[in-house]
Amino acid sequence: LKVLSLVLNTVTVYLLLFRSPFPRFVKWILPFTYFLFYQHGVICRPYSILLIGFLLAAVLWSQKNEKPVRFTLSLMLMCASSAYGIIFAGGITLAWLWELKGNLPFGEYLRSLLKGKRFASLALLLLFALLNIASILPRSDTFAASYGLSGNNPLPMRILYMFTGSLADATCFSAYDDYDELRYAFFSIPKFIVGCLIGGCILALLIYCAKKCKTVHILLIPFSLFALFSGIVYFYLQHIDDLFQFMVFWAWISLVKNKENGEEIKPVWQPKLKKLIYAAITVCLAISVYWTVGACYHEVVYQYGFARQLATYLNQHGLVDYGVMVRWMQLTDENGMISYTNTNQTVNGVALNAYYDTNVITNMNGGDPDMTYVTHRIPTEEENKANLEAWHEKGLPPITFDRCQLKTVFPEYRDIYVQHYTTVLILPEYHLWKAGYQYSEHRLYVRNDIAHKHLLDNVE
């Protein structure tokens, strides 16, 4: 993954340094900004592929009508990267079609479309996008699509964030720093309001610049599709990266279009506004580099995740063969009654399995050694019941990572963890985001008889 990421990032930096129209100081700073340097270079996000698609589309934008095959290939690369890539590629295509329409009568416009390589390229792009959508379309029992809960944040709040606050978070602010999906994420109301105000100002400035560069359609059509999809369907913290990439793409196109237009902006206050724009760009780049420095520092001094330390401990003390039980999804209402159970949605299992060739999580995928992944399938009530009964028949699990919901499985026991388990390991975990982090602690519990057998002491 690191080698592949290095190759993709090298291509990105080459395109930014030697093909982009940005001022020299922007070219040299962009590779060190947070999303490009840390999220792509250290975390190795697959959005590196999307970024190359964006940059190639920017390079080929001015030739899209003369060489449509090359341009649509760059959009296909975006489609192949992620669902968000499909959204942005579709938005860019609609902006292209809007541009082609111009002042042409509708009939003449259609006739101009239905001929030549351009039509064939657009048809092929549409087919490719539809095939990608078909391949990722969730089934009716897919967890992420069928969770069915309303969440903490209502739809208007999510839409407001996507059209304003997300722009601030992509450039200079952090209103959204929770690791839950947008529907369920916790927002500090003061930070949310400030983020939306900053984002609103950024959006107004972008629209003003887009009008001057004649790129309003290129800005608003893809951005609106992305914001609506993300606000209504699905959006996580890391997807802010995709918006940052789109802003780079739009800025690239705007600079190219502005040079092609060759027009000077007349108002006397334009020089002051130009200085304001350059100052805003400088501040945003400086903040992003600060995020990079903070993330890299925390990456070195703190333990990002728990899995390596946990795997090392299990191996050193001969505990792997017992298997580990992890928490599953179980929600309770305000009265403490169980309101939702999903025994197939286990937490933290995949991270530990990454250090083994087989599945060491006893309650994930029925303990099948070959299924080291999460299926994201919602089980039926009968399957939930069968899983809970199977776990009960096996008795108290030898090892659990964090306190599992054992009272649900073994209602006949009282104070299960106090009476029957020994805390043998405390694992810190730091979730890094920009220049900050979220700290949490995990515990490894071993059943008393096994802890005694392996001479393991209580660390609490």
Side-chain angles (χ1 to χ4, degrees):
L1 286 177
K2 290 292 183 185
V3 172
L4 177 60
S5 182
L6 178 63
V7 172
L8 294 173
N9 292 333
T10 300
V11 174
T12 295
V13 172
Y14 168 80
L15 291 172
L16 287 173
L17 290 182
F18 300 108
R19 299 301 299 273
S20 76
F22 298 126
R24 185 174 298 177
F25 82 97
V26 175
K27 289 183 180 182
W28 284 100
I29 294 176
L30 269 176
F32 298 98
T33 51
Y34 173 74
F35 294 107
L36 274 63
F37 187 92
Y38 183 76
Q39 288 293 324
H40 294 191
V42 178
I43 303 298
C44 296
R45 296 282 185 197
Y47 310 128
S48 300
I49 300 172
L50 174 60
L51 180 57
I52 291 177
F54 268 127
L55 298 184
L56 289 175
V59 169
L60 298 167
W61 178 265
S62 58
Q63 308 169 41
K64 61 186 180 299
N65 291 309
E66 294 76 22
K67 299 178 180 178
V69 176
R70 296 183 183 182
F71 182 70
T72 52
L73 284 174
S74 68
L75 298 183
M76 287 182 190
L77 182 61
M78 294 170 61
C79 291
S81 68
S82 67
Y84 301 96
I86 297 173
I87 295 292
F88 276 121
I92 292 169
T93 302
L94 290 175
W96 181 15
L97 294 174
W98 178 276
E99 198 171 278
L100 288 171
K101 171 65 172 67
N103 296 319
L104 289 176
F106 190 72
E108 185 179 343
Y109 170 60
L110 280 181
R111 287 192 295 273
S112 69
L113 284 181
L114 298 175
K115 59 183 179 181
K117 290 183 179 179
R118 186 168 59 201
F119 175 74
S121 300
L122 286 168
L124 187 60
L125 173 62
L126 176 61
L127 176 62
F128 186 76
L130 291 175
L131 288 173
N132 274 273
I133 291 171
S135 73
I136 65 173
L137 197 65
R139 290 168 32 138
S140 60
D141 61 351
T142 299
F143 173 74
S146 306
Y147 195 176
L149 301 179
S150 59
N152 308 324
N153 304 314
L155 179 60
M157 181 179 178
R158 303 198 306 266
I159 296 296
L160 174 62
Y161 170 78
M162 289 309 309
F163 274 95
T164 57
S166 64
L167 290 168
D169 283 359
T171 53
C172 61
F173 196 67
S174 291
Y176 182 8
D177 54 11
D178 193 3
Y179 282 84
D180 235 332
E181 202 265 335
L182 181 59
R183 289 173 295 176
Y184 313 104
F186 171 78
F187 279 96
S188 164
I189 297 302
K191 286 179 65 176
F192 180 85
I193 293 172
V194 172
C196 290
L197 290 173
I198 294 174
C201 293
I202 292 173
L203 180 60
L205 186 60
L206 293 179
I207 292 174
Y208 175 84
C209 293
K211 285 183 177 179
K212 295 300 180 182
C213 298
K214 295 182 171 57
T215 57
V216 174
H217 57 299
I218 304 171
L219 171 67
L220 292 185
I221 296 176
F223 173 60
S224 297
L225 290 178
F226 169 75
L228 289 171
F229 174 83
S230 301
I232 297 171
V233 181
Y234 187 78
F235 189 78
Y236 267 95
L237 185 66
Q238 66 270 15
H239 298 138
I240 295 169
D241 184 355
D242 299 351
L243 179 56
F244 172 80
Q245 295 180 30
F246 170 69
M247 293 175 73
V248 172
F249 164 81
W250 170 80
W252 183 319
I253 300 299
S254 295
L255 286 174
V256 171
K257 293 274 284 184
N258 194 48
K259 290 179 181 178
E260 289 176 353
N261 295 335
E263 296 177 0
E264 292 294 330
I265 304 169
K266 298 293 175 77
V268 294
W269 43 271
Q270 166 57 20
K272 292 183 179 180
L273 184 61
K274 185 175 181 181
K275 290 180 180 178
L276 175 63
I277 293 171
Y278 272 89
I281 292 172
T282 303
V283 169
C284 290
L285 290 174
I287 290 174
S288 191
V289 171
Y290 164 71
W291 291 340
T292 299
V293 173
C296 291
Y297 171 76
H298 292 147
E299 176 81 27
V300 172
V301 300
Y302 295 135
Q303 178 171 286
Y304 190 104
F306 62 83
R308 180 186 295 177
Q309 183 185 354
L310 177 56
T312 300
Y313 185 90
L314 295 174
N315 296 339
Q316 287 177 345
H317 295 278
L319 300 173
V320 179
D321 292 338
Y322 292 105
V324 179
M325 176 176 273
V326 298
R327 293 179 61 84
W328 58 95
M329 186 158 195
Q330 181 173 295
L331 303 179
T332 56
D333 59 22
E334 60 274 8
N335 298 317
M337 302 298 292
I338 298 174
S339 58
Y340 180 85
T341 299
N342 183 339
T343 56
N344 200 36
Q345 189 68 18
T346 52
V347 180
N348 294 321
V350 169
L352 180 58
N353 275 337
Y355 291 87
Y356 296 97
D357 294 328
T358 59
N359 176 24
V360 300
I361 308 301
T362 58
N363 62 318
M364 189 169 81
N365 301 321
D368 187 333
D370 295 324
M371 294 181 67
T372 61
Y373 51 89
V374 177
T375 64
H376 292 286
R377 187 182 65 81
I378 298 177
T380 63
E381 290 186 17
E382 292 75 16
E383 288 173 322
N384 275 329
K385 183 179 179 181
N387 285 335
L388 294 172
E389 289 176 351
W391 300 343
H392 185 273
E393 288 177 7
K394 293 178 182 178
L396 290 174
I399 302 172
T400 76
F401 180 67
D402 286 331
R403 292 199 173 198
C404 298
Q405 304 94 320
L406 296 184
K407 192 65 178 175
T408 304
V409 185
F410 305 98
E412 66 272 22
Y413 286 95
R414 294 184 59 188
D415 300 326
I416 295 177
Y417 277 95
V418 174
Q419 296 180 8
H420 301 282
Y421 285 89
T422 301
T423 307
V424 300
L425 182 65
I426 299 176
L427 302 97
E429 181 175 26
Y430 294 83
H431 284 288
L432 308 186
W433 180 251
K434 297 181 178 175
Y437 59 81
Q438 288 185 2
Y439 173 78
S440 59
E441 282 186 351
H442 300 280
R443 283 162 172 73
L444 184 67
Y445 296 95
V446 177
R447 206 172 61 207
N448 290 338
D449 58 318
I450 297 175
H452 179 73
K453 176 182 176 181
H454 290 267
L455 305 178
L456 303 176
D457 295 324
N458 194 328
V459 296
E460 286 191 310

